[in-house]
């Protein structure tokens, strides 16, 4: 979801829609894999950076079985309101990833899912994650693979770009900007983190219909707000046509989506 203007504030209503539509369709599948990659165990202190509505924090809490401390931090009040509604027992903080409001060495594991690409200064954010991790603690990040490696989303964004022009392309660019593993690894190194594991896995984004898949993606971007009804209809039609190869029984859509799970160790 979303691109260069990602840090804009979402209303609670939009955050509820994110939780209801996007999280089950896409993000929920990845959260337990990120938590497992980080080796989270009961009793630890875990931070979820750019937590959104908190799907990774919830996966960490589930794995920890109620023992330990789970904290989510996000820039967006709307997202945090939903996170707090769902799990009032966890800690939620409004914070910019570029300046986390925690003491050095606070967390055993610091996690960040589908967000590093949106930060204006990615190395600074990773340095902050390293700082708030305990010495030799874990920093684990999930990021999407390159758009070229995404047949389904590649087709959808090509349809957006045909009707909405270069801005749509730029938006897609941000979303998939960390797909290059060499680039991703170099950001960790620049932040003083040592990469200990990289895994690329194939996921599936699931939607009730092609129209739902396309509208969900479009509405998650700032593009949706700036277009008239005719343009919207043309964009949606083009997107739906592009989804034809991914329609399964009953008209549901299963879009393949690849992503990386990178784990690193903070300085000892
Ligand atoms: C695609 S959502 C991912 C949310 C969540 N990690 C998940 O997996 O559902 C990106 C999140 O990054 C947050 N975000 C963007 N820029 C941020 C920043 N500079 N500091 C903290 N959070 C930020 C947004 O508010 C949004 O909740």
């Amino acid at each position: 979801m979303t691109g260069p203007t990602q840090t804009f504030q979402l209303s609670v209503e939009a955050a509820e829609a994110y939780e209801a539509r996007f999280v089950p369709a896409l993000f929920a599948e990845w959260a337990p894999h990120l938590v497992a990659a980080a080796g989270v165990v009961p009793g630890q202190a875990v931070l979820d950076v750019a937590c959104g509505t908190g799907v990774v924090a919830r996966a960490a809490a589930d794995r920890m079985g109620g023992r330990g401390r789970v904290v989510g931090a996000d820039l967006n009040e709307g997202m945090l309101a939903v996170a707090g509604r769902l799990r009032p027992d966890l800690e939620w903080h409004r914070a910019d990833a570029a300046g986390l409001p925690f003491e050095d060495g606070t967390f055993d594991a610091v996690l960040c899912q589908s967000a590093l690409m949106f930060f204006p200064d990615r190395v600074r954010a990773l340095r902050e994650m390293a700082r708030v991790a305990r010495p030799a603690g874990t920093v684990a990040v999930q990021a999407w693979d390159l758009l070229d490696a995404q047949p389904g989303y590649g087709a959808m964004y090509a349809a957006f770009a045909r009707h909405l022009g270069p801005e749509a392309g730029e938006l897609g660019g941000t979303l998939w900007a960390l797909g290059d593993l060499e680039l991703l690894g170099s950001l960790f190194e620049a932040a003083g983190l040592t990469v200990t594991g990289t895994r690329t896995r194939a996921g599936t984004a699931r939607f009730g219909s092609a129209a739902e898949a396309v509208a969900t993606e479009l509405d998650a971007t700032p593009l949706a707000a700036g277009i008239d009804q005719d343009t919207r209809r043309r964009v949606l039609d083009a997107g739906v046509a592009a989804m034809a190869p991914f329609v399964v029984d009953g008209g549901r859509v299963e879009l393949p989506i690849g992503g990386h799970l990178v784990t690193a160790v903070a300085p000892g």
Side-chain angles (χ1 to χ4, degrees):
M1 74 168 249
T2 66
T5 53
Q6 168 66 21
T7 52
F8 68 105
Q9 292 295 309
L10 288 179
S11 64
V12 174
E13 194 185 36
E16 289 286 4
Y18 175 91
E19 173 63 27
R21 294 168 77 184
F22 247 115
V23 172
L26 180 59
F27 297 105
E29 177 191 344
W30 290 81
H33 291 284
L34 182 62
V35 172
V40 168
V41 292
Q44 287 188 325
V46 176
L47 174 64
D48 176 10
V49 175
C51 62
T53 52
V55 67
V56 170
R58 295 197 296 272
D62 289 349
R63 196 174 154 103
M64 289 160 66
R67 292 207 290 123
R69 178 186 181 201
V70 178
V71 179
D74 198 283
L75 204 49
N76 201 297
E77 303 273 14
M79 291 290 203
L80 292 168
V82 176
R85 176 182 69 69
L86 292 169
R87 286 299 296 261
D89 56 319
L90 307 181
E91 282 177 52
W92 306 104
H93 293 259
R94 180 166 191 274
D96 191 328
L100 294 169
F102 307 106
E103 298 289 322
D104 296 5
T106 303
F107 298 98
D108 297 288
V110 181
L111 313 175
C112 182
Q113 172 164 291
S114 298
L116 184 64
M117 60 289 265
F118 301 123
F119 303 156
D121 188 338
R122 295 157 181 161
V123 172
R124 181 170 169 178
L126 283 169
R127 217 176 272 131
E128 274 297 273
M129 294 182 215
R131 181 186 65 75
V132 301
R134 67 165 164 74
T138 302
V139 173
V141 169
Q142 184 269 4
W144 304 118
D145 205 344
L146 294 167
L147 186 58
D148 285 352
Q150 316 280 9
Y153 280 93
M156 194 191 296
Y157 272 89
F160 289 173
R162 276 199 303 279
H163 290 271
L164 297 173
E167 201 193 341
E170 197 186 315
L171 207 57
T174 305
L175 199 52
W176 319 104
L178 298 182
D180 179 343
L181 276 175
E182 240 175 76
L183 167 71
L184 192 51
S186 71
L187 299 178
F188 278 78
E189 274 168 34
L193 287 157
T194 305
V195 173
T196 50
T198 301
R199 179 177 163 218
T200 299
R201 69 176 293 276
T204 307
R206 296 168 204 279
F207 299 93
S209 67
E212 186 194 321
V214 178
T216 299
E217 189 67 22
L218 184 66
D219 289 341
T221 73
L223 289 173
I227 57 177
D228 60 45
Q229 282 309 309
D230 279 353
T231 309
R232 181 180 171 86
R233 200 167 309 116
R234 276 201 304 278
V235 172
L236 290 178
D237 288 349
V240 166
M243 292 298 91
F246 309 100
V247 176
V248 295
D249 52 284
R252 290 183 304 106
V253 163
E254 292 187 355
L255 278 181
I257 184 162
H260 306 308
L261 299 164
V262 179
T263 48
V265 62

